Amino acid sequence: MSPSAEQYGDRMFTHVTQGERARLDALADAVSQYTHRDLRRLDVPAGERLLDVGGGTGVVSQRMTETHPGAEVVCVDRSVTLMSDRAGYAHVEADVCDQATWDRLGTFGLVHARNLLMHLRRRDFVFDRMLEAVVPGGWLMVADMVDAPELRRSLRFRETFAQLREYMEAELGTSMTCGMTYAQRMQDAGMTDVGVSYDALTVGPDKPGAAFMARTLRHLWPDIVSKGYAKPGDADEAIAYLEGGRHWDSAIAFVTAWGRKV
Ligand SMILES: C[S@@+](CC[C@H](N)C(=O)[O-])C[C@H]1O[C@@H](n2cnc3c(N)ncnc32)[C@H](O)[C@@H]1O
């Protein structure tokens, strides 16, 4: 396959794509309980601003306005199309791979990103900018999906997800393993109170993680096929398996790391 310069949101996963709102809502349904649990661990310094990076629909920013009433909450994303008009947080439409974005964002008592860095070729740059944007005594929290294929019982599901993963890695620069590196990076950067949580999403009846994965397969499959990574019917069995509600299996893991800046 030829190297690609495409970035998340250029063409695949734009916020105006039909079904993208529902896909991001399914993602939020699958992981927000873990995000909320881990955000509760952090005592954000009084009076400081809070930032959600690549905030998508604004679901985490909305939560921040509820947990920190009166604090200024900022949600930055390359597209603000899916954010609520009546939200109590600031919408900033900007590319976080661009230094100018960070120059104008300023500093925060909490900087959070979920399911963003894994999709960025410039993830190291963005991680460093997020760390810089945290005030002393403030927190950095970064979360991403991590793939654990060997835990999947279904060989067909494992094979189909391997095709999707190969496509996303080659075409978008996505990493399905980088989430395991964040806690160590925070430790090495001299942060204190570093912690990490690892939550397994499952396939099963009414499991939002499975619904999210099925939606992602449906969305990407025509492009995966047209670029030669798979054949048209290859994903049908895995989609039925994820959506059928009759099978229990391992879906994917969700890892969150946090640390306090000295
Ligand atoms: C998988 S979605 C996750 C949304 C949200 N964080 C959540 O967990 O519900 C990734 C988000 O990152 C945004 N994004 C991707 N690349 C970006 C960039 N270079 N600058 C700003 N936002 C970006 C996308 O527009 C999208 O909203």
Side-chain angles (χ1 to χ4, degrees):
M1 303 294 159
S2 57
S4 161
E6 184 176 345
Q7 300 192 56
Y8 185 107
D10 281 353
R11 192 177 60 91
M12 307 310 296
F13 303 124
T14 70
H15 284 188
V16 293
T17 306
Q18 198 190 1
E20 185 59 3
R21 167 94 220 188
R23 199 184 71 88
L24 290 180
D25 285 346
L27 170 65
D29 285 349
V31 299
S32 284
Q33 60 180 309
Y34 309 124
T35 304
H36 296 170
R37 176 199 65 202
D38 293 335
L39 283 172
R40 277 198 295 271
R41 303 173 191 275
L42 315 180
D43 53 332
V44 177
E48 292 293 349
R49 307 159 70 219
L50 291 78
L51 176 67
D52 189 28
V53 186
T57 62
V59 62
V60 175
S61 303
Q62 189 67 55
R63 176 77 181 183
M64 288 173 172
T65 66
E66 292 156 13
T67 55
H68 295 80
E72 183 186 347
V73 176
V74 178
C75 188
V76 59
D77 199 288
R78 62 176 293 173
S79 164
V80 299
T81 306
L82 296 178
M83 292 179 202
S84 164
D85 290 343
R86 292 184 302 280
Y89 54 85
H91 305 28
V92 177
E93 190 163 69
D95 183 347
V96 298
C97 294
D98 184 348
Q99 177 63 46
T101 297
W102 295 96
D103 292 342
R104 74 181 164 112
L105 281 172
T107 57
F108 299 85
L110 169 62
V111 176
H112 170 268
R114 182 175 84 181
N115 297 316
L116 169 73
L117 290 191
M118 64 182 289
H119 296 300
L120 300 183
R121 288 195 173 81
R122 298 196 75 195
R123 64 182 62 88
D124 291 345
F125 169 85
V126 176
F127 184 97
D128 290 344
R129 296 295 82 70
M130 290 198 302
L131 181 55
E132 276 174 13
V134 177
V135 297
W139 294 91
L140 176 62
M141 178 174 273
V142 190
D144 266 319
M145 297 293 190
V146 172
D147 195 21
E150 63 282 3
L151 297 182
R152 293 190 185 113
R153 286 193 312 113
S154 161
L155 180 60
R156 199 72 202 94
F157 174 34
R158 212 185 296 171
E159 287 170 349
T160 302
F161 204 77
Q163 289 171 308
L164 172 129
R165 180 171 160 178
E166 184 190 3
Y167 162 89
M168 290 188 74
E169 287 175 354
E171 300 294 331
L172 294 176
T174 296
S175 165
M176 301 234 186
T177 57
C178 65
M180 290 308 305
T181 66
Y182 303 145
Q184 190 64 53
R185 285 191 68 150
M186 292 177 190
Q187 191 76 38
D188 293 346
M191 300 191 95
T192 61
D193 304 297
V194 173
V196 66
S197 62
Y198 182 97
D199 293 286
L201 307 189
T202 61
V203 178
D206 300 321
K207 291 292 182 189
F212 166 69
M213 291 175 88
R215 283 184 177 278
T216 302
L217 284 170
R218 281 188 192 285
H219 176 68
L220 290 180
W221 213 255
D223 207 53
I224 290 175
V225 169
S226 78
K227 292 212 159 56
Y229 292 88
K231 295 194 287 304
D234 281 356
D236 294 354
E237 212 180 298
I239 291 171
Y241 184 76
L242 288 164
E243 292 179 339
R246 289 176 293 107
H247 302 282
W248 290 95
D249 205 340
S250 170
I252 199 162
F254 179 68
V255 176
T256 303
W258 57 88
R260 188 198 287 271
K261 191 162 170 182
V262 177

